[in-house]
Amino acid sequence: MELIEILEALNQTHGPSGDEGGVREKIEELARPFADEIVTDTLGNLIVHKKGAGPWMMLAAHMDSIGFIVTHIEKEGFLRVGRLGGISPKEAAYAPVRFKNGVQGVFVPEEKADFSKLKLDECFIDIGAANEAEAKTLVQVGDTCVYDGPVRVRGSRVTAPYLDDRLACAVLLCALEQIKEPAYNLSLVFTVQEEVGLRGARTAAWWVDPDICVAVDVTDVDDTPGSEKNGTARLGGGAAIKVMDSSVICHPQVVAKLEEIAKSQSIPIQRDIMRSGGTDAGAIQNAHYGVKTGGISIPCRYVHTPAETADLEDARACVRLAAALIQAEAPCP
Ligand code: CO
Ligand code: ZN
């Protein structure tokens, strides 16, 4: 399947942190023809195994997304919500949202709220219910909702609510499709609950017990007006090889191996340092007695907004890099 078709399929699924069943089912369906074995672990991580001769390699991408969870239903039928992961009320203002059962709504700040310091408590979700009783026929406390928006493509640029991290899930699925002879025992892990603290990756790394791991995620860029210089990557600059983020300092052998493979295959790359925000790599490197861990990053603008934007050529470079890594000889001396 084409990268963009996979992304579109994943974008339609439900999968906020802790409620990843919908996205997991779709990924499992797409991976099935190319996998030797697929298991879902206790927390809900999807582990796709492909047999190979060498040491054990884990490639991880989180399948959960940020979202909201209903905490109160008001007399007038409006919903109050808590946050799942780093979702900002200012960035979410007036965004359409959808629940797992298909109910749609819009996230709205109160009229009198100070927009510059907007708090989640000053916002509500309007699902069109006339009152509390009607709202309760549609949703209940504990239900989760996510941004509801299409995948838009213009040239090589793509905009969609959950490129973080569905684009990386699509990258891993494309790489899986391409590999003929893995040089490793390969586990592709689609993790849960990354956005609430790398929780799924932590247990998945114990389950898989890999010799080497590469986590694939989006990374902040530093290429827009007024950029805060939080990231080093740029859209269209190629696959970004993670050196560091606030959760991990990548193993130098993994960084070097990725750079060497990219050079030998003429894959465009750039270095990635994200000064705030972590990734699954941070949890995985601390499993067992430690795992040699690195990261492949897809440069992404406006991360955690309803309009995350990336370059498909960068994502395709990530597919090539991941596929080449899986088929290269073992990087662990
Ligand atoms: Co994220
Ligand atoms: Zn992410």
Side-chain angles (χ1 to χ4, degrees), residues 28-268:
E28 183 167 359
E29 179 194 318
L30 296 173
R32 173 87 41 212
F34 310 101
D36 291 318
E37 189 194 8
I38 301 184
V39 290
T40 299
D41 78 359
T42 314
L43 286 200
N45 299 296
L46 186 74
I47 303 174
V48 176
H49 182 215
K50 196 165 171 75
K51 286 190 197 119
W56 213 286
M57 173 176 292
M58 169 169 163
L59 289 184
H62 67 91
M63 60 182 168
D64 64 311
S65 71
I66 55 173
F68 295 114
I69 184 161
V70 177
T71 55
H72 298 84
I73 300 174
E74 305 208 321
K75 273 204 219 51
E76 300 79 12
F78 298 105
L79 316 177
R80 298 288 180 166
V81 291
R83 52 163 67 81
L84 293 164
I87 193 163
S88 139
K90 233 202 278 189
E91 292 169 352
Y94 306 106
V97 296
R98 66 165 191 261
F99 287 82
K100 189 158 58 178
N101 62 5
V103 168
Q104 296 178 335
V106 58
F107 180 87
V108 187
E110 289 174 10
E111 197 108 324
K112 285 182 188 146
D114 175 354
F115 199 80
S116 66
K117 296 182 225 147
L118 190 61
K119 296 194 200 83
L120 189 53
D121 297 354
E122 298 168 325
C123 302
F124 56 87
I125 289 178
D126 179 353
I127 52 169
N131 52 47
E132 184 180 358
E134 191 188 339
K136 282 181 168 167
T137 65
L138 299 168
V139 298
Q140 56 170 320
V141 166
D143 285 356
T144 56
C145 66
V146 296
Y147 290 139
D148 187 20
V151 175
R152 296 172 200 274
V153 178
R154 51 195 192 286
S156 68
R157 296 286 158 90
V158 60
T159 295
Y162 292 118
L163 298 182
D164 176 14
D165 200 18
R166 305 285 167 81
L167 186 52
C169 294
V171 162
L172 289 192
L173 287 166
C174 278
L176 176 68
E177 205 174 319
Q178 284 182 16
I179 47 175
K180 308 226 159 48
E181 290 261 321
Y184 298 86
N185 259 302
L186 178 68
S187 291
L188 294 188
V189 182
F190 299 89
T191 65
V192 294
Q193 300 191 35
E194 190 268 355
E195 297 288 2
V196 291
L198 323 180
R199 295 177 193 169
R202 191 163 292 126
T203 63
W206 276 81
W207 183 291
V208 173
D209 190 11
D211 300 298
I212 175 170
C213 177
V214 172
V216 186
D217 207 331
V218 299
T219 190
D220 265 336
V221 291
D222 190 20
D223 66 352
T224 51
S227 150
E228 286 178 5
K229 310 290 179 211
N230 181 43
T232 57
R234 304 178 79 82
L235 246 60
I241 293 178
K242 184 178 289 296
V243 177
M244 190 179 101
D245 63 37
S246 66
S247 69
V248 68
I249 299 168
C250 294
H251 197 288
Q253 284 172 354
V254 180
V255 175
K257 187 69 187 177
L258 287 167
E259 289 188 329
E260 178 198 314
I261 288 167
K263 199 170 167 205
S264 72
Q265 308 272 324
S266 308
I267 300 166

